[in-house]
Amino acid sequence: MIIGLRFLSEDDEILFVQHLDSAMKLHENYNPNRPTLPPLPRDPFTPPPTLFCKTVIKKSATKIRSLTIVSQYPWIGSFEPLVSLALHEFNESEKIEVITSLYANLNSADVSSLPRLSVSERTIMRCAYEPAEYFLSIFEAAADRGARRGGEMHDMLAEDWDGISFTASVRYSEQMQEVDLPVYLYPEEIGDFSLIKLITTFSALDAIHPPAFLDLRWRNNAPFLWHPHLDCGARTHPFVLLLNALVTEKRVLFLGSGRTGGEVAGYVHAAAAAAGGGGTVVPDVLERVASVVNVGDLIGLQRSARFIAGSTDPAVEQRTDLWDVLLDINSGKITVSPQINLSAEGMANPTVPAGDIEWMCQGYWIGDAEFVLELISAIQNETPELQVRQLVYDHLQRFLDVTAAFELETCNTTLLGHPPVPPAAYPGIESGGAFFRDDQAKSAELCMLRNRIEGFRLSRGYFRYTQTHNARLQKSYLGPSFPLRALMAEIHNPDRKYQPPTARLVQILFLIQDTVLPGPNGAQTELLAGLRTKGIAVFAAGMMHERWEVRRACTRILWRLDWHMVSVR
């Protein structure tokens, strides 16, 4: 008999409930609003849980007042209109009952029907063009369970429902106020930031201030101009330089002179999400975030020597000893500090490599250029914000997979890889990780990214990722040896010159078929999440293939996906 369980994270709890659902159909009677159990003893080696804050400031003729609400939920910012209204009433009446009433009403909000989605389900939601159509059944089932527990019945059939938010009712001033709570947020996405705005602000090709020395330099047989961890030459795109600074944990500072703290914090939060994939790739990036600081605060941050911060104080621009990369929001300019540390453990070979290096001297890495082209094309085609975020997160995940390939190449072992696929059952399918078109492409990418890989391996984020990587593999419904990202990258390879050999394609589809068909709903959820915006078109096209094995495997996969709770069409 199960007396009680404590979970270390919400995702662990969701995973446990989904296992019960697939095995024993118990989820209909499961109550997430159960009485709170006593907290677990705190592990002194783990950071304290993250709390999210939202501050509203109101100015009057004689006073400036602020009100802050704190919660464990990242969607706390959705209550900003109510907080603003309460602060306005408090300024008028000076009665503390206004604040206590707000506190009581916010904590009594009915969220019993709020669907609890796994990371894979949230990924599908973010990549779907019509999430209201796909997730209607899931929201209706959650509303029905909430109603049976005494909560309010929420009608999800409204014509204006966007499919990515949950409408909660909060009583305030004797009236019911509707608040939309986003259910698509990843664990470490803060507030309503815009990654599109961050990319477009720092996209001018001349955005990076030139360094003191304009000659191309070399480290580890790879070129660079500003810093070996940041660039591959003078034509490196500014957003790529920013991503490299975030991944290698440089001191990154956003400057917004004359702007509000909220505007600057939006850029900081967007950069933090890009640095960790919203918490789905590299965990605990939020501990590096300091939304708005001044010169004195920056001096205090030097103890960590790795932060993502913002400031409205123009004086910080002259303190090049306090930051490594400065991003001016007003001008879109990026400055690399002349005092940035160029030395790093493991760096060697500062001389020009021998042999054919003309392709290395073009000033950028072709893989970075292809990534930026995909981003800019998506923004110009008015791709939704959530899908643009996913492009950036997937690029970060590929970099980590390339890091695993680099470690296997140089050290013959890695903590970031996947267990191998059984070669006898599926000949030709290697272990999961990054997909390379051929050995020449692999050698070129490992060479050009070597410096930034070394920078990442020296960071605390690398240590955190190695701690959580194996646990994530063990929690996968597809199994730790299923190379999902590598298979999806090979099937959807944008290079039209490359097509998987027919024999290899047959083995790939056999592996997907044998894993997905007998697996629980969670296995199909992870497969659908891995398809991203490409959808199931690849399996539909396979039904017209010349080989009968391919046609049969694709038919069986589509038949199984048709049963899935997400109504994929």
Side-chain angles (χ1 to χ4, degrees), residues 482 484 487-488 491-492 505-506 508-514 516-517 523-524 526-532 534-545 549-562 568:
F482 188 85
L484 177 62
L487 297 184
M488 294 301 104
I491 292 176
H492 292 295
L505 179 61
V506 170
I508 290 175
L509 292 174
F510 278 178
L511 176 58
I512 297 176
Q513 167 193 276
D514 297 344
V516 169
L517 261 63
Q524 293 95 51
E526 292 180 5
L527 175 62
L528 291 171
L531 293 172
R532 300 295 192 260
K534 280 79 172 181
I536 59 176
V538 61
F539 301 123
M543 296 177 68
M544 306 298 293
H545 199 273
E549 300 99 323
V550 174
R551 297 195 300 270
R552 185 180 67 177
C554 290
T555 302
R556 289 178 172 178
I557 294 171
L558 290 174
W559 170 75
R560 183 61 185 88
L561 293 178
D562 188 51
V568 179

Side-chain angles (χ1 to χ4, degrees), residues 325-345:
V325 179
L326 178 75
L327 299 99
D328 192 325
I329 299 173
N330 295 328
S331 64
K333 294 293 184 180
I334 299 178
T335 304
V336 178
S337 172
Q339 301 183 46
I340 188 172
N341 185 11
L342 285 175
S343 63
E345 179 185 350

Side-chain angles (χ1 to χ4, degrees), residues 57-340:
I57 301 175
K58 290 288 185 180
K59 297 181 181 179
S60 63
T62 58
K63 298 178 180 178
I64 299 178
R65 281 176 170 160
S66 64
L67 180 59
T68 300
I69 55 176
V70 182
S71 173
Q72 59 180 327
Y73 300 109
W75 37 258
I76 188 67
S78 301
F79 294 106
E80 180 180 358
L82 293 180
V83 178
S84 298
L85 181 60
L87 187 57
H88 175 74
E89 292 185 7
F90 180 77
N91 284 336
E92 295 291 332
S93 65
E94 299 284 344
K95 293 181 178 179
I96 193 62
E97 289 80 7
V98 175
I99 306 301
T100 58
S101 175
L102 174 68
Y103 174 83
N105 290 328
L106 290 183
N107 283 283
S108 63
D110 179 24
V111 293
S112 59
S113 300
L114 177 68
R116 310 180 73 196
L117 304 180
S118 65
V119 171
S120 296
E121 290 170 333
R122 278 175 270 181
T123 301
I124 299 174
M125 175 179 286
R126 299 159 76 98
C127 295
Y129 285 97
E130 297 292 341
E133 180 181 3
Y134 299 152
F135 283 84
L136 178 62
S137 60
I138 294 179
F139 274 74
E140 286 182 334
D144 182 61
R145 291 195 299 271
R148 291 202 301 271
R149 299 176 192 135
E152 298 181 3
M153 186 66 180
H154 294 266
D155 183 12
M156 294 300 169
L157 297 176
E159 294 182 359
D160 58 345
W161 181 54
D162 58 7
I164 60 175
S165 62
F166 171 83
T167 303
S169 297
V170 180
R171 181 174 294 278
Y172 184 77
S173 297
E174 303 302 325
Q175 294 182 350
M176 296 302 296
Q177 306 285 342
E178 291 188 348
V179 179
D180 291 332
L181 307 179
V183 297
Y184 59 81
L185 291 178
Y186 283 153
E188 296 188 18
E189 289 182 326
I190 312 176
D192 189 22
F193 65 85
S194 173
L195 205 52
I196 292 179
K197 182 185 293 186
L198 175 64
I199 296 170
T200 53
T201 301
F202 301 100
S203 282
L205 298 181
D206 60 346
I208 313 175
H209 281 290
F213 304 97
L214 296 179
D215 294 332
L216 195 66
R217 293 180 284 178
W218 299 83
R219 200 88 179 240
N220 275 330
N221 295 325
F224 74 95
L225 190 64
W226 286 274
H227 190 279
H229 296 168
L230 301 182
D231 67 279
C232 292
R235 299 170 66 186
T236 297
H237 193 274
F239 185 66
V240 172
L241 185 140
L242 170 59
L243 285 181
N244 294 338
L246 295 170
V247 170
T248 57
E249 297 187 355
K250 299 297 183 284
R251 299 174 298 172
V252 177
L253 179 64
F254 288 87
L255 174 61
S257 301
R259 294 177 178 259
T260 65
E263 290 181 272
V264 177
Y267 284 89
V268 174
H269 297 161
T280 63
V281 183
V282 179
D284 300 328
V285 173
L286 291 183
E287 66 182 26
R288 297 163 48 192
V289 173
S291 298
V292 182
V293 298
N294 54 31
V295 173
D297 298 327
L298 277 180
I299 295 175
L301 289 175
Q302 300 307 306
R303 289 174 296 180
S304 67
R306 55 185 197 98
F307 55 78
I308 308 169
S311 179
T312 59
D313 184 1
V316 301
E317 185 174 6
Q318 308 303 322
R319 295 297 305 271
T320 57
D321 60 316
L322 300 180
W323 46 264
D324 295 325
V325 179
L326 178 75
L327 299 99
D328 192 325
I329 299 173
N330 295 328
S331 64
K333 294 293 184 180
I334 299 178
T335 304
V336 178
S337 172
Q339 301 183 46
I340 188 172

Side-chain angles (χ1 to χ4, degrees), residues 313-519:
D313 184 1
V316 301
E317 185 174 6
Q318 308 303 322
R319 295 297 305 271
T320 57
D321 60 316
L322 300 180
W323 46 264
D324 295 325
V325 179
L326 178 75
L327 299 99
D328 192 325
I329 299 173
N330 295 328
S331 64
K333 294 293 184 180
I334 299 178
T335 304
V336 178
S337 172
Q339 301 183 46
I340 188 172
N341 185 11
L342 285 175
S343 63
E345 179 185 350
M347 290 297 179
N349 303 325
T351 59
V352 179
D356 181 17
I357 62 170
E358 182 177 354
W359 65 275
M360 303 174 68
C361 299
Q362 55 189 348
Y364 65 95
W365 164 235
I366 185 64
D368 293 336
E370 292 173 349
F371 164 64
V372 171
L373 179 61
E374 184 180 17
L375 273 183
I376 300 301
S377 299
I379 295 173
Q380 291 176 345
N381 293 330
E382 299 182 353
T383 301
E385 162 75 17
L386 296 179
Q387 294 184 16
V388 174
R389 292 187 195 180
Q390 202 62 52
L391 290 176
V392 177
Y393 298 168
D394 290 345
H395 179 74
L396 174 63
Q397 182 62 70
R398 173 170 172 79
F399 171 72
L400 268 64
D401 291 338
V402 172
T403 301
F406 171 83
E407 291 182 337
L408 286 174
E409 191 80 9
T410 57
C411 308
N412 293 322
T413 184
T414 179
L415 296 176
L416 311 183
H418 291 243
V421 179
Y426 307 99
I429 306 298
E430 300 174 355
S431 60
F435 167 72
F436 301 97
R437 186 177 63 252
D438 51 41
D439 291 340
Q440 183 178 359
K442 179 179 180 180
S443 299
E445 186 162 4
L446 295 184
C447 177
M448 293 296 286
L449 301 188
R450 180 187 180 103
N451 286 329
R452 68 183 74 166
I453 289 174
E454 292 286 355
F456 172 65
R457 295 182 68 201
L458 295 172
S459 69
R460 191 177 301 178
Y462 172 83
F463 174 70
R464 291 286 173 82
Y465 185 77
T466 57
Q467 286 182 315
T468 59
H469 175 68
N470 187 62
R472 291 180 182 178
L473 290 181
Q474 297 301 324
K475 294 176 184 177
S476 172
Y477 285 97
L478 293 172
S481 64
F482 188 85
L484 177 62
R485 292 191 299 272
L487 297 184
M488 294 301 104
E490 182 170 3
I491 292 176
H492 292 295
N493 193 289
D495 187 357
R496 296 185 177 182
K497 297 180 180 179
Y498 174 83
Q499 293 293 334
T502 301
R504 179 175 175 81
L505 179 61
V506 170
Q507 295 300 323
I508 290 175
L509 292 174
F510 278 178
L511 176 58
I512 297 176
Q513 167 193 276
D514 297 344
T515 305
V516 169
L517 261 63

